[in-house]
Amino acid sequence: MGIFVEITARLIFIFFAGVYILTIGTPFYSIDAQTMYDTSRALAFEQTIAFPPDFFSPQLKPGRDGRLYSQYDPGLPLIAAPVVYWSDALAKSQLWNRYAFSAYMVEWIPALFAAAGLCGLYALAETRQKGLLAVVAAGLCTPLWPYARMFFPEGTLAGLLMLAFWGAYRGGWGGNLRAGAALGLMILIRAPAVVYVLPIVWLAGSKGLSDIPEKRGKALTFILRYGSLLFFPFLAGLVLLYHNFIRYGDVFTSGYGYSGQAFSTPLWEGVYGMLLSPGKGVFWYAPILFVSIWKFPAFYRKNPGLAQAILLATAGVLLLYGRWWAWHGGWCWGPRFLVPILPLWMLPLGEFHPPDPKKWVGFVFLLVLSFLIALLGVITNVNTTYEAHPEDVVHYTIGGSPMVGAVEIVLDTRTEYLSTFYLGRIGMVSSSAVLVPTVLVLCVTGSGFLIAKTVNHE
């Protein structure tokens, strides 16, 4: 990247990291996140992933030694453990609420990863204008925003997937190494992320070997390139097998052994549900996708390797989670299993440049509508809707949709507070509680202004 593009990428990181951190909600939204946080605390303070037998959580399963273990993969707790350790030490020195402050700080993790991933998405575009359009749509007009400000895997996975695509698209052993590292971390966070290995390898392969001088030896360079790409995913797989062995004494026994947790949904039902169902259909949560689908053929003609990789990744996710018993993701905002791939689907928007002003009006309408829908997911707690409709997790009816519930919550002025603006609740003194959001607001406004200045610079 040129120096101007690198500066813009850094500004994008500052802007979106600030937006996501400023909109962090109430920790935690689910027992799943709570369990992963408690696992990170066990790692940080006791150097173990085990819980005592009397520790209660439905997401814990008895292990071979009689103690309890989280059913989830270890990646996110491993990332969070040092954050928990150092934030706890800081809170202790300042006499803040140590548990609550650490819980708040781990929610910075998906915010930072998602913001970094949007820099990779920007670098994937042909021009700065196209890149900025894709980044704004992905970062503020899809379910990525609600997930980037909560301690849950989707925001982090989305950021890593964008970085993996950028590394593979950049090519060379260095780019492949970065892509492999991102992909390996994804697999540690959620083992089914292995579905992204083929698209990343395909994308790296689309770069070919024509740029390699013959004298260097194409065979050796081929091994180095693809070895660097696959090393970290292979290592992550070994770590997951060892993690299974530690917990349950069998490398092939994971935490998903509960009754009913299987690939038991008819494929058509799961795919329809994730794409079009009123409660979970992705097109309801990001209507701007209609423009992306429309412009995908033009994008394909200009970027066939990248477009093919995106198609492979999308097909892999739909085939995998379309069969999963909980394809809907449970009590959550939209189709959370599709969140990691959604930002990449914003890249075709760069091909939208019709001369007809009426089409621009329609485009802006869909973009603003998508933004408002994402904002609904940010300022409301989706659990409130599910508590009112506990019998309809799938939400095949519009009346039971979380979006409808979110509108009702807003009209009833029951929006949730944003934690960054209420740091006094976790014991921070007034000066610190005001300083943090003030600095973040200045970062967002300043970087946003500078980014806007780059739009007309090519």
Side-chain angles (χ1 to χ4, degrees):
M1 292 189 296
I3 185 65
F4 191 83
V5 176
E6 290 184 3
I7 291 173
T8 305
R10 287 175 171 80
L11 291 172
I12 287 171
F13 174 80
I14 294 171
F15 177 84
F16 282 98
V19 168
Y20 294 154
I21 293 170
L22 281 170
T23 53
I24 286 174
T26 307
F28 293 103
Y29 289 92
S30 67
I31 190 64
D32 309 64
Q34 181 70 58
T35 301
M36 285 185 278
Y37 174 63
D38 289 334
T39 304
S40 68
R41 291 185 65 85
L43 281 167
F45 302 123
E46 301 175 28
Q47 293 75 55
T48 182
I49 58 173
F51 293 83
D54 59 347
F55 194 98
F56 174 75
S57 171
Q59 272 66 32
L60 299 180
K61 182 180 178 182
R64 60 174 179 168
D65 55 3
R67 294 191 292 177
L68 299 175
Y69 293 89
S70 167
Q71 74 176 61
Y72 303 112
D73 296 316
L76 202 54
L78 284 171
I79 297 172
V83 177
V84 168
Y85 182 85
W86 291 109
S87 59
D88 180 87
L90 176 61
K92 181 179 179 180
S93 68
Q94 300 297 317
L95 301 180
W96 301 337
N97 185 315
R98 294 162 63 181
Y99 187 92
F101 181 68
S102 297
Y104 168 73
M105 288 306 300
V106 298
E107 295 195 292
W108 283 46
I109 294 171
L112 297 177
F113 272 98
L118 289 170
C119 298
L121 186 70
Y122 172 73
L124 282 171
E126 289 182 320
T127 66
R128 284 192 290 274
Q129 283 90 345
K130 291 182 179 182
L132 288 173
L133 181 59
V135 163
V136 169
L140 297 177
C141 305
T142 72
L144 174 64
W145 186 6
Y147 282 97
R149 23 82 68 188
M150 65 173 67
F151 187 61
F152 217 65
E154 273 66 32
T156 305
L157 290 173
L160 288 169
L161 184 60
M162 286 184 277
L163 291 174
F165 263 73
W166 171 65
Y169 186 75
R170 183 178 180 180
W173 73 270
N176 286 356
L177 184 65
R178 295 183 184 91
L183 191 55
L185 193 51
M186 288 182 69
I187 294 170
L188 276 182
I189 293 172
R190 179 172 287 160
V194 70
V195 74
Y196 296 114
V197 171
L198 176 59
I200 297 298
V201 170
W202 184 278
L203 180 58
S206 69
K207 308 303 291 185
L209 298 175
S210 58
D211 60 327
I212 304 173
E214 193 68 38
K215 62 182 180 180
R216 291 178 58 186
K218 290 188 181 293
L220 177 60
T221 305
F222 179 87
I223 293 173
L224 289 175
R225 281 194 180 183
Y226 291 94
S228 64
L229 177 61
L230 297 175
F231 171 76
F232 286 106
F234 176 75
L235 183 62
L238 293 180
V239 172
L240 290 181
L241 294 177
Y242 182 62
H243 182 240
N244 289 340
F245 179 78
I246 291 176
R247 294 182 295 171
Y248 310 120
D250 183 354
V251 295
F252 297 111
T253 299
S254 71
Y256 290 89
Y258 301 110
S259 176
Q261 291 192 337
F263 293 96
S264 54
T265 302
L267 181 61
W268 68 267
E269 179 181 339
V271 172
Y272 164 78
M274 287 188 287
L275 295 180
L276 298 172
S277 66
K280 297 293 185 178
V282 68
F283 288 95
W284 293 86
Y285 287 86
I288 193 64
L289 276 172
F290 285 110
V291 180
S292 183
I293 296 295
W294 173 33
K295 288 299 176 181
F296 189 81
F299 174 74
Y300 186 100
R301 288 191 293 271
K302 292 185 178 180
N303 307 274
L306 181 56
Q308 290 164 6
I310 292 173
L311 287 174
L312 283 173
T314 304
V317 171
L318 291 175
L319 290 173
L320 178 69
Y321 288 109
R323 291 276 293 142
W324 186 235
W325 73 279
W327 58 263
H328 44 76
W331 288 27
C332 61
W333 183 257
R336 66 182 178 91
F337 295 131
L338 294 184
V339 170
I341 194 68
L342 284 183
L344 293 168
W345 271 101
M346 296 298 107
L347 285 171
L349 294 180
E351 304 305 320
F352 184 84
H353 39 73
D356 186 356
K358 293 181 180 179
K359 292 183 178 179
W360 277 107
V361 171
F363 176 84
V364 173
F365 171 77
L366 289 176
L367 194 66
V368 172
L369 179 62
S370 298
F371 169 79
L372 294 175
I373 292 171
L375 183 62
L376 279 177
V378 169
I379 63 176
T380 62
N381 189 336
V382 71
N383 290 330
T384 304
T385 300
Y386 284 105
E387 288 167 359
H389 302 273
E391 76 289 345
D392 194 8
V393 175
V394 177
H395 290 316
Y396 280 129
T397 62
I398 294 178
S401 168
M403 284 191 295
V404 175
V407 172
E408 294 172 352
I409 291 171
V410 171
L411 293 177
D412 200 29
T413 64
R414 290 182 292 127
T415 56
E416 66 168 351
Y417 74 89
L418 303 179
S419 296
T420 302
F421 293 96
Y422 293 90
L423 294 176
R425 296 190 179 190
I426 59 179
M428 294 182 70
V429 295
S430 57
S431 58
S432 299
V434 172
L435 180 62
V436 173
T438 300
V439 170
L440 288 169
V441 168
L442 290 175
C443 288
V444 169
T445 54
S447 59
F449 173 78
L450 293 174
I451 290 171
K453 295 284 287 184
T454 70
V455 172
N456 294 321
H457 282 274
E458 274 293 347

